[in-house]
Amino acid sequence: MSYTESIGSRTYRFADLKTLLAKASPQRSGDQLAGIAAASEEERVAAKMALAQVPLRTFLNEPLIPYETDEVTRLIVDDHSPQAFTDISHLTVGDFRNWLLSTTTDTDALTRITEGLTPEMLAAVSKLMRNQDLIAVARKRPVVTRFRNTVGLPGHLSVRLQPNHPTDDVKGIAASMLDGLMYGCGDALIGINPASDNLAAITTLLLMIDDFRQRYQVPTQSCVLTHVTSTIAAIEQGAPVDLVFQSIAGTEKANASFGISLALLREAYEAGLSLKRGTVGSNLMYFETGQGSALSADAHFGVDQQTCEARAYAVACKFEPFLVNTVVGFIGPEYLYDGKQITRAGLEDHFCGKLLGVPMGCDICYTNHAEADQDDMDNLLTLLGVAGVNFIMGVPGADDVMLNYQSTSFHDALYVRDVLGLRRAPEFEAWLESMLIIDAHGALLGASARQPLLEGARDWMGIT
């Protein structure tokens, strides 16, 4: 089905729904690289006007990627609930935007329609929304998950402590981990990106974190971010695996480029469940995504990068994850050129994920060849904090020395929690208070109060 819209004497024609979505997207370098972006701002406005008139039902009848050839499309179509769709089935995309922003549309209303939404519907409506709209609606849709603690409660913000090391040096990782804990970070998880996929090295890191966690009774969860096949092998060898990690994307072909399928993810999920390591819940998958991943694998099929990204959240939903993280600026300026595009993408991803019931976090980040800086990250950090993001990254000095990119630091987490009055996961915050790291109000105590823990941890690490 084609779509048309006139502006003055000029008429714009869009060949199909995926073309219309691509032309309506806010400007970003990835869509320009793919040759699917609007050629002018006027064409972009025409596409938005046409998109606003599209009935939501159209997205159920016109798949962007054929059902027969893509298992992600099949997942989206087969899991759609007509009953949950009832409340909004009569709306157009423009009407849906107005419904979402209405003061009468509350958390219960958004939760009720979750299983009636598709990623494409949410990608479409997001293209009609300003940044403040994305923030206002996402804030109304908390998503709470549990493993050893509780993440995503309203008024809370968690942090993934990311103590990476370029050679996987155990003492170096342990020192960064301890540094982050002293700043009250680590309630989302302690997660290491290993420099090597060597199974012995992965197991060594898992054992180190688990030994520390048990020694000090830390109510958090660990993860070594390796391929699911390596995690399955580690589980089979008896390694202490908490969260099961995998990068995912929004098309079958893009996932195949990661060496995964829905069946393999199911196997990994069930392997993790078999360990029964959660204490307050059983959400245990950790997924990372990023706009541009499908395009970089030549697996986008002419679909714009934001819509492809939203489809990845349907994959995530299937496995009841503990955390999902859009690594928003990591792929580089070829896909998100500057701070403005990174900011917009982060807010879009958070909005689409939360409305689908995904526990969204964001690695607020950029590569050193992007037209962005730490001020841009401060802006996005603040906006996502207002929007109710579940978690952010905690990287020593905001500079990841292994992955070689810029993210957010332990100090950044202190800032955003302070100015927005956000708390840590309640179980973790109680532990921090018991260890004399914070006071009853969540503020850091002085170094002298933490000295006994520091000395004990240094002994554990073998540091004199």
Side-chain angles (χ1 to χ4, degrees), residues 4-265:
T4 62
E5 187 64 46
S6 296
I7 296 181
S9 61
R10 191 186 299 255
T11 298
Y12 291 90
R13 292 180 174 82
F14 308 99
D16 51 27
L17 188 56
K18 70 179 176 182
T19 301
L20 180 63
L21 287 166
K23 301 294 186 182
S25 289
Q27 184 178 12
R28 64 204 57 202
S29 52
D31 292 338
Q32 292 171 319
L33 178 66
I36 60 175
S40 66
E41 285 302 314
E42 184 174 278
E43 184 181 25
R44 183 171 287 111
V45 170
K48 289 177 185 287
M49 293 169 64
L51 182 60
Q53 301 171 53
V54 175
L56 290 180
R57 287 189 178 277
T58 303
F59 294 92
L60 302 175
N61 301 323
E62 191 177 336
L64 305 186
I65 302 172
Y67 181 95
E68 297 76 15
T69 60
D70 186 89
E71 68 174 0
V72 177
T73 299
R74 292 194 291 275
L75 171 67
I76 292 166
V77 172
D78 294 348
D79 283 3
H80 180 261
S81 168
Q83 182 178 359
F85 186 55
T86 301
D87 288 355
I88 57 171
S89 61
H90 60 291
L91 300 178
T92 65
V93 176
D95 294 332
F96 185 39
R97 173 188 177 274
N98 295 337
W99 184 87
L100 289 170
L101 289 166
S102 171
T103 55
T104 60
T105 301
D106 57 11
T107 299
D108 288 342
L110 293 175
T111 303
R112 193 164 55 246
I113 67 166
T114 297
E115 294 182 359
L117 297 170
T118 70
E120 294 86 352
M121 292 176 192
L122 290 169
V125 75
S126 75
K127 298 176 194 299
L128 307 183
M129 301 173 83
R130 292 171 57 184
N131 286 1
Q132 66 174 251
D133 300 336
L134 298 172
I135 293 167
V137 176
R139 186 176 176 84
K140 295 192 287 187
R141 182 57 171 97
V143 180
V144 179
T145 56
R146 296 174 174 86
F147 188 76
R148 283 200 192 91
N149 59 29
T150 306
V151 170
L153 293 166
H156 291 68
L157 173 69
S158 295
V159 177
R160 171 190 159 188
L161 206 174
Q162 184 170 301
N164 294 341
H165 192 280
T167 63
D168 289 340
D169 179 78
V170 174
K171 287 187 178 180
I173 289 170
S176 292
M177 181 177 71
L178 183 61
D179 187 27
L181 289 169
M182 292 302 102
Y183 281 100
C185 294
D187 50 341
L189 78 156
I190 300 170
I192 302 167
N193 298 88
S196 165
D197 270 339
N198 178 276
L199 186 58
I202 292 165
T203 302
T204 296
L205 295 177
L206 287 168
L207 288 168
M208 181 273 290
I209 302 175
D210 200 58
D211 181 51
F212 182 90
R213 181 189 64 78
Q214 292 194 61
R215 180 180 296 258
Y216 292 99
Q217 299 181 318
V218 191
T220 190
Q221 34 286 319
S222 65
C223 184
V224 174
L225 282 68
T226 187
H227 194 271
V228 285
T229 52
S230 297
T231 302
I232 292 169
I235 290 172
E236 290 172 346
Q237 293 188 10
V241 173
D242 287 345
L243 303 189
V244 177
F245 168 80
Q246 183 56 48
S247 294
I248 58 173
T251 72
E252 180 178 347
K253 184 179 178 182
N255 283 326
S257 75
F258 292 144
I260 61 167
S261 64
L262 296 181
L264 181 59
L265 292 178

Side-chain angles (χ1 to χ4, degrees), residues 65 249-251 294 299-301 303-313:
I65 302 172
T251 72
H300 65 296
F301 302 98
V303 178
D304 69 273
Q305 66 181 40
Q306 188 241 335
T307 302
C308 281
E309 171 72 5
R311 284 168 55 94
Y313 305 148

Side-chain angles (χ1 to χ4, degrees), residues 1 51-52 140 196 202 323 356 360 362 372 413:
M1 178 179 175
L51 182 60
K140 295 192 287 187
S196 165
I202 292 165
L323 306 169
L356 284 171
M360 288 300 296
C362 185

